[in-house]
Amino acid sequence: MEDADSAASTGELALDPNRDRGVLTPSDREFLLGRKTDYTEHSKKQKRNRIRRRVRNAILDFTILFDHLDDRDRETVFDPDDAERDAYTRGIVDMLAFLHLGTMGYSTPFKDMLAQGVSKGEQALAGSDYRMVNVEFNVDPVGRIDVDEVVEKLDQGRFDEITDGELRAFARLLAESEDFSPVPLRDEIKGQMDTFVERAAEAAVQRDRHVEELTD
C-alpha cells in the first residue's frame, strides 16, 4: 500500500482535503492519512470505532440505494467527468478489494455474494426474476511458468496456447528485466495496431459470413 506522503503527492481526487463528505468525514480522512496526529490513544480508539460504525451503516445503506435510488441518479453517479474518471475507477477497484479482504472468513463466501449481486442486477435490468445467469469468479494464483515453453509459443505464433497466467507472469518478468524496456517498443507496437485491428475486423466478417452459410 502507498504511504500517506507518496499517495498525497499524486494529487488524486480521493485525497483532496476539500472533497465533500462521503462515508468518511474530512476529519476521518485526515486521521487515516496520518495528516493529523494530535490524538491521544483514547481519542484514536474512539475515532476508529466511529469509522467502523460509519462503514457498517454505509454497507446497510446500499440495500436502500439499490431498491430506491432512481436509475437516473445511479447513472449520474457512475458518469464522472473525463478528468476524474481514473480516480473513480480506482475507487471502484479499491472498493472491491476492500470487500474481498473484509469478507475473508465471513459466513458467506465473497464469490457467492458477488454472484448473487450480479444476478440481482441482471434481474433488475430485465424486470423479471426469470433472468437467470451464470456468474463465474475464481482466484487462481499465478505461479512458476516454463519460460522456454512460453518463448517457443511466441516464436511459433501459437498465441492461442498461451494461458492468461503465463501471459501475466511473462509480461511481469519482462517489465522487471534490466535488459528490456517497453518504452522504445511503444511506437512500433502502436504502428502495428491499425493492421492488427483491420485483420481482426476481417476475421469477424469472415466468421459471420461462414455462420450464415452454415445456417442457410
Side-chain angles (χ1 to χ4, degrees):
M1 293 185 180
E2 296 176 304
D3 59 46
D5 291 337
S6 62
S9 66
T10 65
E12 293 182 6
L13 177 63
L15 306 181
D16 183 352
N18 298 317
R19 185 165 56 86
D20 290 342
R21 172 175 174 170
V23 175
L24 299 176
T25 67
S27 175
D28 293 337
R29 296 173 193 146
E30 296 293 289
F31 171 74
L32 291 175
L33 291 169
R35 293 174 177 171
K36 187 177 180 181
T37 58
D38 56 340
Y39 286 92
T40 65
E41 287 302 315
H42 178 68
S43 61
K44 286 181 181 179
K45 182 177 180 180
Q46 288 183 317
K47 192 71 169 176
R48 287 193 292 268
N49 285 337
R50 286 194 294 269
I51 290 173
R52 287 198 296 269
R53 289 198 301 269
R54 203 169 288 123
V55 172
R56 283 176 174 170
N57 279 291
I59 292 172
L60 296 176
D61 281 340
F62 275 99
T63 295
I64 300 173
L65 291 172
F66 178 78
D67 288 334
H68 301 287
L69 188 69
D70 288 345
D71 291 349
R72 180 181 178 184
D73 292 331
R74 184 188 65 246
E75 292 165 3
T76 301
V77 169
F78 289 95
D79 186 26
D81 294 334
D82 289 342
E84 300 176 343
R85 191 171 302 279
D86 287 347
Y88 281 100
T89 299
R90 175 172 176 175
I92 294 170
V93 171
D94 289 342
M95 176 177 65
L96 293 172
F98 182 81
L99 292 174
H100 179 53
L101 290 178
T103 55
M104 287 185 175
Y106 190 68
S107 57
T108 304
F110 175 75
K111 65 177 183 178
D112 291 348
M113 291 185 285
L114 179 63
Q116 291 172 27
V118 173
S119 295
K120 285 186 67 174
E122 287 292 317
Q123 290 172 357
L125 284 173
S128 170
D129 58 6
Y130 279 90
R131 169 67 171 172
M132 292 177 283
V133 297
N134 291 321
V135 181
E136 296 182 2
F137 172 79
N138 295 299
V139 180
D140 299 317
V142 175
R144 177 181 293 275
I145 64 171
D146 188 327
V147 176
D148 290 334
E149 183 177 348
V150 176
V151 171
E152 183 177 331
K153 292 177 183 177
L154 290 170
D155 187 53
Q156 297 177 2
R158 292 153 47 201
F159 306 117
D160 57 333
E161 296 181 19
I162 301 175
T163 67
D164 288 344
E166 288 175 333
L167 185 61
R168 291 193 187 96
F170 194 78
R172 181 65 177 267
L173 291 171
L174 277 178
E176 294 179 349
S177 171
E178 295 181 358
D179 297 327
F180 173 81
S181 174
V183 177
L185 295 176
R186 179 169 52 194
D187 290 340
E188 181 181 348
I189 294 174
K190 288 172 68 175
Q192 294 174 330
M193 183 55 65
D194 289 342
T195 301
F196 175 82
V197 171
E198 182 179 339
R199 290 178 178 174
E202 290 174 354
V205 171
Q206 292 177 10
R207 181 261 182 197
D208 292 343
R209 185 182 300 121
H210 193 192
V211 170
E212 289 180 3
E213 293 173 355
L214 292 173
T215 55
D216 280 345

